[in-house]
Amino acid sequence: MNQDIEASPSPKKQFSNVTVCSRFRPLNSKERKDHGGQVCVCRIDDETFVFKDEKEEESTFSFDKVFYEDSLQADVYEFIALPIVRDAVNGVNGTIITYGQTGAGKTYSMEGPNVLESDDMKKGLLPRVVDGLFEHLASAGDSIKYKITLSMVEIYMEKVRDLFDLSKDNLVIKQNKDHEMLVSGVTEIHLSDTGEALQNLHAGIQNRAVGETQMNLASSRSHCAYIFTVQPVSTRDRGRTGKLVLVDLAGSEKVEKTGAEGKLLEEAKTINKSLSALGNVINALTCSSSKSNHIPYRDSKLTRLLQDALGGNSRTALICCCSPSTSNSSETFSTLRFGTRAKHIKTSPTAKRIIDEETGARWNALDVPAKEESGERTLAEVKLIPTVKPIDHASDAPKKDDHHGRILAKLRERLDDEDVNLLEELLILEGMLFDPSAEGVRIP
Ligand SMILES: Nc1ncnc2c1ncn2[C@@H]1O[C@H](COP(=O)(O)OP(=O)(O)OP(=O)(O)O)[C@@H](O)[C@H]1O
Ligand SMILES: [Mg+2]
């Protein structure tokens, strides 16, 4: 049987804020030795391949791009990261996530053999992103000065740890008043050149939790987020800060394969649980028949951290890393299904949020009074924000929702954001308020 997973309609014709790619690493020596080098993937072209499961049943998968075993690290960077780096320099937020089974090549794609690697064939996304950021800023000339900062956190055993300051071992993820997710109190390091950036990345990575399993000698035991902010410091453009977040997830694992016991086993359970929460969020975002419009971002720290990336407030790219070996075909199939699902996260056409410098008032681009559009007033910030639209409830939303929104905005001025968010969630659960994340940009 040949099942067409993503062939019709072509993913390229769908408007989505998530670019989804799959990447197959080369077979490793164990897979060659134990399984005679048999593979479960048959290449059709750069976007499509046939996958064969254990029962020899075939499915055709299509993604925005498929990187096979012979793919180059530079190709992965150019297709996935370069456009997002350019956007970040122009004040548009971006996120790049590596996802997949343990040992599938997530950390290799992100770092290369290590982040200080200088061999251009091996260098991973992180050092290339650093190069790209500094190159773009240099080409802007002397007229605009930028400030780049870096924060690094890991989610280990459901706690958010600051990799630049290990005393901060339980940081809180919350939304700021513009509904952007941030890690409260995280260390921000100012980067002045690529050398300094790489040294800091290297230092932070040394603090990340890594363990040895039967599937991977250096298995990431935490989800790690590298958060770059690019802020112009010249007067005219000072509002357009771009945030670029790279997320190297811990891998899903079958305990019987990794041989995890004791601490490794506890880590594996926590990792698998948070990855299930991520799957649930993707399902909720893409399931139009869902009874409620609630997206369970709060079910794990990981989904909370990725709320912007999945909820539409970011250009997002997902790299689904896979083993090509038949011995891992069920895990590979599940990774590919995850990617297919993520591709169906829909967005509405790009919306602009404009903040008036004098009054602090905010509009959607469509609501901006003509006077402001004609440029009579200084607009301090014009950001492109794609918005997710899993179910189009926005037009049906009752008038009283505006009223609740105003009350929440007032509460937000007086209370901690986290408390207001809880109250907001309660209102959503009680059916008194529509889920703002489902409506995309929310103007309080
Ligand atoms: N594209 C590739 N080319 C060459 N070697 C690779 C590639 N991808 C992965 N590897 C090698 O495979 C091994 C496992 O890769 P990696 O550590 O990146 O897996 P992972 O997905 O991060 O796993 P975990 O979830 O356990 O952290 C490493 O030794 C790595 O060097
Ligand atoms: Mg890893």
Side-chain angles (χ1 to χ4, degrees):
M1 195 185 81
N2 192 322
Q3 222 186 332
D4 232 8
I5 298 286
E6 184 59 301
S8 178
S10 160
K12 279 195 281 185
K13 290 188 190 117
Q14 295 172 3
F15 187 78
S16 168
N17 73 324
V18 184
T19 300
V20 183
C21 301
S22 54
R23 184 176 199 195
F24 295 92
R25 63 156 167 72
L27 288 164
N28 62 32
S29 52
K30 188 169 186 297
E31 289 165 340
R32 284 186 194 283
K33 192 164 137 263
D34 297 350
H35 303 276
Q38 285 183 319
V39 296
C40 57
V41 192
C42 176
R43 177 190 315 223
I44 294 181
D45 59 29
D46 280 356
E47 292 165 12
T48 306
F49 58 87
V50 173
F51 168 86
K52 212 184 261 187
D53 71 12
E54 293 115 323
K55 294 178 191 149
E56 301 277 302
E57 289 201 353
E58 293 183 349
S59 313
T60 304
F61 282 91
S62 290
F63 292 100
D64 292 298
K65 190 86 165 176
V66 184
F67 298 100
Y68 297 98
E69 302 168 46
D70 53 359
S71 62
L72 301 176
Q73 295 277 64
D75 294 342
V76 178
Y77 171 75
E78 262 158 49
F79 186 83
I80 291 171
L82 187 56
I84 294 183
V85 169
R86 282 195 196 119
D87 277 351
V89 174
N90 289 315
V92 179
N93 296 341
T95 309
I96 302 169
I97 304 168
T98 53
Y99 176 92
Q101 178 194 9
T102 181
K106 299 178 293 297
T107 304
Y108 185 86
S109 297
M110 203 53 99
E111 297 174 17
N114 73 73
V115 84
L116 299 177
E117 175 67 54
S118 56
D119 181 343
D120 195 59
M121 292 294 280
K122 295 181 181 165
K123 263 170 86 165
L125 285 176
L126 270 169
R128 287 174 201 273
V129 161
V130 165
D131 289 346
L133 279 176
F134 281 99
E135 267 165 34
H136 275 82
L137 301 192
S139 66
D142 285 340
S143 55
I144 309 176
K145 292 265 177 284
Y146 289 88
K147 181 180 167 200
I148 303 188
T149 63
L150 170 68
S151 301
M152 280 179 62
V153 292
E154 68 172 356
I155 302 176
Y156 177 72
M157 300 297 284
E158 258 328 82
K159 284 191 174 166
V160 181
R161 302 206 298 202
D162 189 328
L163 291 175
F164 290 138
D165 181 353
L166 296 178
S167 68
K168 297 179 187 171
D169 61 359
N170 197 6
L171 293 171
V172 175
I173 302 168
K174 55 193 224 180
Q175 271 179 327
N176 65 13
K177 62 181 184 335
D178 290 330
H179 283 251
E180 287 186 344
M181 303 311 297
L182 56 87
V183 183
S184 184
V186 71
T187 305
E188 289 186 2
I189 296 198
H190 178 236
L191 307 174
S192 43
D193 56 42
T194 50
E196 195 182 7
L198 294 177
Q199 287 303 334
N200 279 298
L201 282 167
H202 182 67
I205 288 169
Q206 298 305 302
N207 288 330
R208 187 178 177 191
V210 175
E212 181 178 337
T213 73
Q214 288 168 22
M215 292 286 285
N216 190 354
L217 290 176
S219 177
S220 315
R221 311 311 289 165
S222 66
H223 309 299
C224 185
Y226 307 88
I227 307 162
F228 296 89
T229 55
V230 187
Q231 189 181 8
V233 284
S234 69
T235 330
R236 210 170 135 256
D237 274 331
R238 73 174 181 275
R240 299 175 63 186
T241 298
K243 190 165 73 164
L244 174 55
V245 185
L246 284 83
V247 181
D248 180 19
L249 295 177
S252 53
E253 60 186 73
K254 284 189 178 164
V255 170
E256 65 272 22
K257 276 189 174 177
T258 54
E261 293 175 341
K263 182 169 160 242
L264 283 176
L265 180 60
E266 289 312 308
E267 289 168 350
K269 284 188 200 160
T270 316
I271 292 166
N272 286 345
K273 198 170 158 204
S274 62
L275 292 172
S276 297
L278 178 59
N280 292 340
V281 163
I282 304 263
N283 283 347
L285 283 168
T286 54
C287 182
S288 54
S289 63
S290 162
K291 268 192 210 151
S292 91
N293 202 16
H294 174 67
I295 312 292
Y297 290 116
R298 286 175 173 278
D299 283 3
S300 75
K301 296 274 165 54
L302 175 63
T303 45
R304 196 83 177 114
L305 186 72
L306 293 180
Q307 187 164 336
D308 281 345
L310 302 169
N313 196 7
S314 167
R315 306 260 184 240
T316 299
L318 176 71
I319 310 175
C320 294
C321 297
C322 304
S323 154
S325 169
T326 47
S327 60
N328 288 315
S329 60
S330 74
E331 290 93 335
T332 293
F333 187 67
S334 112
T335 299
L336 296 172
R337 291 293 302 268
F338 178 90
T340 303
R341 196 80 177 162
K343 189 67 211 159
H344 284 94
I345 296 177
K346 301 266 193 340
T347 60
S348 64
T350 320
K352 282 181 186 169
R353 176 186 294 186
I354 298 177
I355 302 177
D356 187 298
E357 204 174 39
E358 286 171 25
T359 63
R362 293 149 208 255
W363 302 278
N364 271 326
L366 297 176
D367 302 331
V368 176
K371 185 165 102 159
E372 278 73 26
E373 270 187 327
S374 67
E376 284 182 70
R377 206 175 271 208
T378 319
L379 300 177
E381 183 177 345
V382 181
K383 264 194 180 175
L384 298 175
I385 304 177
T387 60
V388 164
K389 236 179 170 183
I391 306 172
D392 186 13
H393 277 326
S395 53
D396 310 331
K399 282 251 163 14
K400 67 176 181 184
D401 209 36
D402 295 343
H403 187 56
H404 290 143
R406 273 197 297 277
I407 294 173
L408 287 170
K410 279 215 171 332
L411 283 174
R412 218 165 243 122
E413 285 165 15
R414 292 168 205 188
L415 300 173
D416 182 72
D417 257 9
E418 194 74 2
D419 296 332
V420 182
N421 290 340
L422 277 173
L423 183 62
E424 190 175 17
E425 190 161 338
L426 180 69
L427 291 176
I428 291 165
L429 283 173
E430 293 296 320
M432 294 163 74
L433 186 69
F434 284 85
D435 188 347
S437 55
E439 290 171 27
V441 179
R442 181 165 180 275
I443 311 296

